[in-house]
Amino acid sequence: MPEAAEYMSTTVRFIRRLIAERRVPFHRLGRLIRFKRADLDAFIEAGRVEAFDPSAVLRHFRSAS
């Protein structure tokens, strides 16, 4: 878990919460918890928020009215 926390630039406590809430896939080997890097990357990518063009948003709302 410390390596996963470092990889995601977060705390071990946050990683433990992700596990408890089953928000990220993991493998349990006895008492050990293991992650696939691809699963962590997918979790990070799923939370990505795209930048937007403010003028495009205004045009969208004006055309919707």
Side-chain angles (χ1 to χ4, degrees):
M1 275 190 277
E3 293 87 1
E6 184 178 335
Y7 179 73
M8 294 178 67
S9 299
T10 187
T11 63
V12 173
R13 182 177 178 184
F14 180 70
I15 300 297
R16 289 177 196 260
R17 191 169 80 208
L18 291 177
I19 292 168
E21 295 173 356
R22 302 290 199 255
R23 292 173 54 195
V24 65
F26 62 93
H27 299 274
R28 185 180 302 266
L29 303 169
R31 295 180 68 194
L32 301 175
I33 302 290
R34 297 288 186 245
F35 301 96
K36 287 185 180 179
R37 187 169 295 201
D39 291 337
L40 295 178
D41 290 337
F43 176 81
I44 292 168
E45 190 63 31
R48 181 177 178 169
V49 177
E50 294 291 332
F52 66 92
D53 178 20
S55 60
V57 173
L58 289 175
R59 282 193 305 264
H60 174 74
F61 282 119
R62 287 181 187 149
S63 67
S65 311

